[in-house]
Amino acid sequence: MSPAPAKPVDRQLPSDEARELLSLTRDLVQRELRPRAAEDEAVARFPRETFRTLGDAGLLSLPYGEQYGGGEQPYEVYLQVLEELAAGWLAVGLGVSVHTLSCHALATFGTEEQRDRWLPAMLSGEQLGAYCLSEPQSGSDAAALRTRADLDGDEYVVNGTKAWITHGGRADFYSTMVRTGEDGARGISCLLVPADSQGLSAAPPEHKMGMSSSPTAQLHFDGVRVDRERRIGDEGQGFQIALSALDSGRLGIAACAIGVAQAALDLAVEYAGTREQFGRPIADFQGLSFMLADMATQVEAGRALYLSAARRRDSGLAFSKEAAMAKLFCTDAAMRVTTDAVQVLGGYGYTQDYPAERYMREAKVLQIVEGTNQIQRLVIGRHLTGK
C-alpha cells in the first residue's frame, strides 16, 4: 500500500515563486508519482514520460538560465524540489538529479554557440541525459579511465566501455569523459555524445537490489565517431569538468536521500499513530516515540546540512567540502531512518504491503553513487589537512 499524503514539510523558501514551485511539485508527486511507484518498481518499468511531464512543468531545468529554457532558480530551491520528488519516487528524483548533472558540462563549460544549439532541448524534457565517468576498472579512481577518443580529422573516434550508467540505453545524450591524452587526470576530455551514434550500444540493465525503474547499464563504444564540435571545454579539461559536476551532483544525492528518509519517517509516524497494542497506539510507548524522535532529528539535520552547502554554492563560495559532508551525512542518515522505519512497522515493515522495505533498499544505493561515502570522507579529510 502507499502511505497517505504526509503533512507538507515546513520549509524556509526565498521567494513566492519558490513556494509555488514546491506546491506544484507536491501536487505532481501526489498525482503522478506515488500512485504508480510500487507497481512500476515491481516490474522495472522506466517512467520516461514522467520526465517529459516534469519538463513541461519547468521542473527539469530549475538551476539553469532562462535564456536556454531554464528556471533560473538557486540551488537552495532546486534541491528542495528534488527532495519532494525523491520522497514520492526515488527513481524519478534521482533521475532528475542525474539529468541535471549531465547538463552541467555544457551549461557551465560549453561555448555560447554550443549552449544555444543543444541546451534548450535538454532542459525542456525533450531529451534525457546520462553522465558517463565510471568504467569497469575505474570507479572511485576516476582518473584511471581508459575509454579512448582519438582525433581523426574533425571527428573523435571513441572506443571503450563505461559502467554503472544511470539511464544507460534510455538516455538521448551522454556527457562522456574520455582519454584524449596522457595517463592520469590531465589526459581526460569531455564529449557530448548523441545516443543514436553508430557503434554505441548498451548492455542489458543491471539486476539491482532496489531502484528497478531506474535502468543502470554498461555502455560500449566501438569506433563511435563524435564531431569535434561536441567536445565541451578544452582537451585535457575533462577531469576538472567531471569534478565540478560531481560537487553539485553530490548535493542532489543528499537531497534525494533526505526525501527518502522523510517518506520513511512519515510512514512510520502514520503507522505508529494508528497501530494499537495493549489497548493504545504504539506511538504512546516511550521506546517507540524516542525512535521516531531520533529519526526526525536525523532528517532535519540532514536537510539543514545540504541547504547550508547549497547556499554557499548560490553565494559563489567554495562548497566542495560541504557537498561531500552533506552527501555523507544525508545518505548515512537515510539508511538509518529507513531501517528504523522497517522496525517501527514490525513484521509489516518486512513485507511489500508497505513501502518501508523499498525505502530501505533504495537508501542503500545512495551511500554508493556519485562517490562512495568512503570517498566522501577522503575528500573531507584532504580539505581539512590542506592536501
Side-chain angles (χ1 to χ4, degrees):
M1 64 170 286
S2 296
K7 180 181 178 181
V9 173
D10 184 12
R11 300 185 185 277
Q12 294 181 350
L13 295 165
S15 66
D16 289 339
E17 184 181 8
R19 281 184 281 276
E20 291 172 3
L21 280 170
L22 267 295
S23 178
L24 170 66
T25 303
R26 283 192 294 269
D27 181 63
L28 189 148
V29 165
Q30 197 57 37
R31 287 186 295 104
E32 303 283 345
L33 304 190
R34 284 182 181 273
R36 58 180 292 190
E39 181 180 344
D40 281 14
E41 285 289 337
V43 297
R45 183 181 296 118
F46 178 56
R48 178 62 181 91
E49 73 286 354
T50 298
F51 293 99
R52 295 189 180 92
T53 300
L54 292 173
D56 291 340
L59 298 178
L60 203 62
S61 60
L62 290 177
Y64 296 117
E66 289 181 342
Q67 67 269 41
Y68 307 110
E72 201 81 49
Q73 290 295 314
Y75 246 64
E76 172 188 3
V77 173
Y78 156 66
L79 292 178
Q80 293 186 79
V81 168
L82 205 58
E83 181 193 326
E84 292 280 354
L85 292 172
W89 190 359
L90 181 59
V92 174
L94 185 71
V96 172
S97 181
V98 167
H99 177 75
T100 302
L101 176 73
S102 305
C103 296
H104 179 90
L106 176 61
T108 307
F109 294 90
T111 65
E112 194 64 40
E113 181 182 357
Q114 288 174 323
R115 290 195 292 265
D116 287 341
R117 184 173 178 183
W118 295 311
L119 197 53
M122 297 178 183
L123 301 184
S124 69
E126 179 184 337
Q127 293 195 344
L128 185 68
Y131 179 79
C132 302
L133 178 61
S134 294
E135 298 183 359
Q137 79 291 336
S138 63
S140 297
D141 184 13
L145 67 85
R146 298 176 186 170
T147 297
R148 184 85 198 175
D150 295 304
L151 197 57
D152 180 20
D154 288 331
E155 295 178 318
Y156 286 97
V157 182
V158 185
N159 289 282
T161 298
K162 292 293 181 180
W164 309 112
I165 306 305
T166 301
H167 301 157
R170 304 303 295 269
D172 300 292
F173 68 91
Y174 298 96
S175 293
T176 308
M177 306 306 153
V178 296
R179 185 161 303 286
T180 54
E182 62 190 64
D183 289 344
R186 295 181 181 179
I188 296 171
S189 300
C190 178
L191 298 179
L192 188 63
V193 182
D196 59 0
S197 299
Q198 187 173 352
L200 177 59
S201 62
E206 305 287 351
H207 296 288
K208 299 175 298 187
M209 183 168 70
M211 291 276 289
S212 298
S213 290
S214 177
T216 305
Q218 288 192 354
L219 285 180
H220 303 298
F221 295 78
D222 184 10
V224 175
R225 304 188 76 88
V226 181
D227 289 343
R228 187 175 187 171
E229 63 183 6
R230 284 184 167 270
R231 189 190 70 220
I232 307 300
D234 298 327
E235 275 206 1
Q237 197 178 8
F239 198 67
Q240 175 193 349
I241 293 172
L243 293 186
S244 172
L246 286 175
D247 280 342
S248 296
R250 284 165 181 163
L251 292 180
I253 298 301
C256 285
I258 294 304
V260 173
Q262 182 70 59
L265 172 63
D266 291 340
L267 174 64
V269 169
E270 177 196 1
Y271 182 86
T274 57
R275 170 71 167 172
E276 291 191 357
Q277 292 287 278
F278 307 103
R280 54 179 172 155
I282 61 174
D284 289 352
F285 293 96
Q286 188 178 77
L288 217 299
S289 67
F290 280 13
M291 182 181 290
L292 295 174
D294 287 343
M295 293 163 68
T297 301
Q298 291 285 306
V299 171
E300 290 291 345
R303 183 177 293 122
L305 188 58
Y306 88 63
L307 285 174
S308 175
R311 288 167 184 144
R312 286 185 63 87
R313 185 189 189 281
D314 291 334
S315 298
L317 299 174
F319 69 99
S320 179
K321 174 177 59 115
E322 290 77 11
M325 288 177 168
K327 198 273 185 185
L328 168 64
F329 183 89
C330 292
T331 58
D332 281 354
M335 195 71 247
R336 287 191 294 270
V337 169
T338 55
T339 302
D340 284 348
V342 171
Q343 192 72 18
V344 170
L345 271 67
Y348 290 113
Y350 201 67
T351 71
Q352 294 182 8
D353 295 332
Y354 289 83
E357 57 84 31
R358 174 165 62 85
Y359 296 150
M360 186 176 76
R361 289 185 288 107
E362 290 176 341
K364 184 61 206 175
V365 76
L366 299 174
Q367 294 178 302
I368 299 170
V369 296
E370 292 191 32
T372 66
N373 282 4
Q374 287 68 35
I375 289 294
Q376 305 312 314
R377 290 177 170 89
L378 182 64
V379 170
I380 296 164
R382 286 177 173 174
H383 276 282
L384 294 175
T385 59
K387 296 181 179 179

